[in-house]
Amino acid sequence: MINNHKIRIAVILSPLVLAGCVTASDGETYMGLNAGFSTVEAETRLATGKQAVWVQNREQAQDLTKRVHGMVHKKTINADTAVQVALLNNKGLQASYAEVGMSSAEAWQQTMLENPTVSIGVLGIAAPELGAYRAIEGMIASNILAIMTRERRVDIADTKFRQAQQSAALATLTLAAETRAAWINAVSAFETVTYLNRALIAADSASELAEELGKTGAFGKSGQARQHVFYAELTGQLAEARLAANLAKEELTRRMGLWGTDVDYFVPNALPRVPNRVKKKHAIEKEALSRRVDLQVAKLELEAVAKSYGLTNATRYVTDIGLLGGAELERSVDENGNKSSEVTGLLEVDFSIPIFDSGKARLRKAEAAYMRAANQLAEKAVNIRSEARSAYTSYRSTHDIALHYKRNVLPLRTTIDEEALLTYNGMITSTFELLADTRAQINSLLLSVGAKKTFWLADANLSAAIYGGGAASGGSAPAANVADGGGGGH
């Protein structure tokens, strides 16, 4: 009996001993509420200079709400403020950060051993000669393969955890780029409306003058109609421009995640001046390859697939091994009515035999997945090189174009306007010629606004091409016929 008890204890504990040196510290890396977020925050600060915050409780949410309200309510915000508000307040971004938490929890889960399965059975229930039962059988089952592959599974989960961090950083940079582009579009739209208002004043004056001259017979009906239709068309174009400006501002509002009284903010009347000098990027491809977050995500994807491939190869023939240990207590009655008990140890191993499924299909699938990830990484690297070159070329070219309007076109238009005014005062130029020159100057101003907007979008795209986050976009440039744009300082 004593020997039987020793066998039972040893067999029951044997599946647990197979776990090896598993300690609680194995999962400490993934246990914290902010596990992995330091990587996201560092990537964000490097690329944008702004702070990223992972909100995980009501107190943090309330503090950020107050902070955001103080940054935007009844204030005129610049592009940097808009980006910072978006990183603090956008709920979609917080959902991306939650993915990091889910990934850390999954990695933490993989560090834990599978719980053993315990089964207890009672045989010969209600046996009259024994009282209640004839035998009790107890078993503890443990998955040996899960224990043997634990280290690899933890390694794969850790890779996916790092990938989730980079994906969250990429989502942050994408939102930052989109918010900056939305701010540029909104400000440019309001700046355009400012110039359209000036053009409308000139058109109104021309229309009124044509009507008065028509009453005296000094101006024909066709000439009057031309001035009236110009004013009417410009009125409609201005209404469209104001609508475009309001919609552009709403787009910015969505990026920043604002609602309620927080939407009562303003943007400047005009975009910043184009700088006289451009940023020098002598190794733009190398810089992009070393810093692009989406390239890091692709690299980690390949690493995860490679490790999964190794696990698939290791478990190709045996997909599951179970060890069952336990004991059976059996009671009996001899001829004289004496009762006795006997404990018998039990040990079972179960596994699948690869007769029909040799694992070749799973192995081929893993190989194909690896090749897919490898080719996607190679394509990403090629595209990043091209995107970096294109972004810098666009940045340099749009800078030259914007400066051309600033230094050449607008000064010439100003000279024409001033000379026209002098000749008008000298009774050499007619009123309508003066108004025509004014309209031409407005057209040049609108082209200048469009060129300036395109440059600042290219500037935002340059940063996105180096760090990741996608290209900023922003509608078409104002047309040259006094008929495009948005509003000012609203």
Side-chain angles (χ1 to χ4, degrees):
M1 294 294 293
I2 296 177
N3 291 336
N4 284 335
H5 279 293
K6 288 182 179 179
I7 293 174
R8 178 182 62 178
I9 295 172
V11 171
I12 290 175
L13 292 180
S14 60
L16 303 179
V17 173
L18 290 174
C21 53
V22 179
T23 64
S25 62
D26 291 336
E28 287 182 358
T29 304
Y30 317 108
M31 293 170 60
L33 288 176
N34 289 311
F37 188 69
S38 58
T39 300
V40 179
E41 191 173 19
E43 293 280 1
T44 301
R45 194 172 294 279
L46 174 65
T48 68
K50 302 295 180 290
Q51 178 188 17
V53 177
W54 185 5
V55 181
Q56 300 192 57
N57 56 56
R58 180 175 296 181
E59 289 73 18
Q60 286 180 323
Q62 291 175 344
D63 290 342
L64 279 182
T65 298
K66 293 178 182 178
R67 179 180 172 185
V68 168
H69 183 79
M71 294 172 69
V72 300
H73 186 61
K74 300 294 184 182
K75 293 183 179 179
T76 300
I77 63 173
N78 59 26
D80 289 335
T81 300
V83 171
Q84 182 61 85
V85 169
L87 298 190
L88 296 177
N89 200 51
N90 187 281
K91 303 308 178 188
L93 189 59
Q94 293 299 318
S96 298
Y97 295 161
E99 293 286 344
V100 179
M102 294 169 62
S103 181
S104 67
E106 176 61 27
W108 183 14
Q109 182 68 47
Q110 292 299 329
T111 65
M112 302 178 185
L113 295 173
E114 290 190 15
N115 292 326
T117 302
V118 179
S119 62
I120 300 177
V122 180
L123 307 177
I125 298 177
E129 69 279 10
L130 296 175
Y133 61 88
R134 182 177 299 279
I136 296 179
E137 182 180 81
M139 301 290 290
I140 296 180
S142 182
N143 191 329
I144 298 178
L145 190 62
I147 297 172
M148 294 171 58
T149 60
R150 171 184 171 276
E151 184 175 349
R152 293 192 181 189
R153 288 187 290 106
V154 171
D155 195 19
I156 293 171
D158 179 74
T159 302
K160 291 183 177 180
F161 173 53
R162 289 183 284 122
Q163 186 180 17
Q165 296 174 48
Q166 295 297 329
S167 296
L170 180 60
T172 306
L173 298 184
T174 299
L175 177 63
E178 292 174 346
T179 303
R180 188 172 294 276
W183 183 89
I184 293 169
N185 291 330
V187 176
S188 175
F190 282 114
E191 185 174 6
T192 301
V193 167
T194 300
Y195 293 125
L196 286 174
N197 275 322
R198 295 182 187 178
L200 187 64
I201 293 173
D204 185 34
S205 300
S207 179
E208 289 181 358
L209 179 60
E211 184 176 0
E212 293 298 324
L213 291 176
K215 292 178 181 179
T216 65
F219 204 53
K221 289 185 177 180
S222 61
Q224 295 179 56
R226 274 193 291 270
Q227 298 302 322
H228 294 334
V229 75
F230 176 75
Y231 174 75
E233 288 176 348
L234 192 58
T235 300
Q237 292 168 354
L238 179 58
E240 291 177 356
R242 286 172 175 164
L243 173 61
N246 290 329
L247 293 180
K249 187 181 177 185
E250 280 298 332
E251 173 69 17
L252 176 60
T253 300
R254 285 195 297 274
R255 299 298 179 192
M256 293 190 294
L258 301 178
W259 62 282
T261 59
D262 287 343
V263 302
D264 296 329
Y265 68 93
F266 309 97
V267 294
N269 289 317
L271 288 171
R273 293 181 178 180
V274 177
N276 292 326
R277 296 182 179 179
V278 295
K279 305 170 187 174
K280 299 294 183 180
K281 298 290 184 182
H282 299 292
I284 185 71
E285 292 182 40
K286 181 179 179 181
E287 188 176 4
L289 287 173
S290 64
R291 293 184 174 181
R292 279 284 286 261
V293 175
D294 51 343
L295 185 63
Q296 298 303 317
V297 173
K299 288 180 179 178
L300 288 170
E301 175 65 20
L302 180 62
E303 183 180 340
V305 172
K307 291 176 179 178
S308 297
Y309 171 81
L311 181 61
T312 300
N313 194 34
T315 59
R316 172 183 173 184
Y317 294 106
V318 181
T319 57
D320 201 9
I321 303 178
L323 177 65
L324 291 84
E328 181 183 42
L329 171 63
E330 184 176 359
R331 301 192 304 175
S332 61
V333 181
D334 59 17
E335 298 175 350
N336 300 321
N338 297 322
K339 299 179 181 180
S340 62
S341 300
E342 181 179 2
V343 177
T344 303
L346 302 173
L347 181 62
E348 296 180 15
V349 177
D350 66 81
F351 56 89
S352 60
I353 302 176
I355 297 177
F356 306 107
D357 182 5
S358 63
K360 288 184 178 180
R362 289 185 289 110
L363 193 59
R364 179 172 294 182
K365 181 180 179 181
E367 290 173 347
Y370 176 81
M371 292 305 300
R372 179 183 64 182
N375 283 290
Q376 287 175 340
L377 176 60
E379 180 190 29
K380 175 67 71 175
V382 171
N383 291 344
I384 284 175
R385 289 176 179 271
S386 176
E387 290 169 7
R389 293 193 303 269
S390 297
Y392 190 58
T393 299
S394 176
Y395 171 75
R396 292 291 302 266
S397 298
T398 56
H399 178 266
D400 292 341
I401 294 170
L403 281 186
H404 171 71
Y405 278 98
K406 176 184 176 182
R407 294 175 176 176
N408 300 318
V409 176
L410 293 183
L412 288 174
R413 279 295 177 190
T414 301
T415 300
I416 292 172
D417 189 57
E418 291 174 349
E419 291 299 320
L421 184 60
L422 290 175
T423 56
Y424 174 75
N425 291 332
M427 303 301 292
I428 300 174
T429 302
S430 72
T431 302
F432 293 112
E433 289 176 338
L434 179 63
L435 293 174
D437 289 336
T438 302
R439 289 198 299 269
Q441 184 186 35
I442 295 296
N443 283 330
S444 296
L445 287 170
L446 292 177
L447 288 172
S448 176
V449 170
K452 185 166 57 171
K453 168 187 171 182
T454 304
F455 164 74
W456 285 115
L457 287 176
D459 179 69
N461 286 339
L462 181 61
S463 178
I466 294 173
Y467 294 99
S473 62
S476 58
N481 62 348
V482 196
D484 224 346
H490 287 68

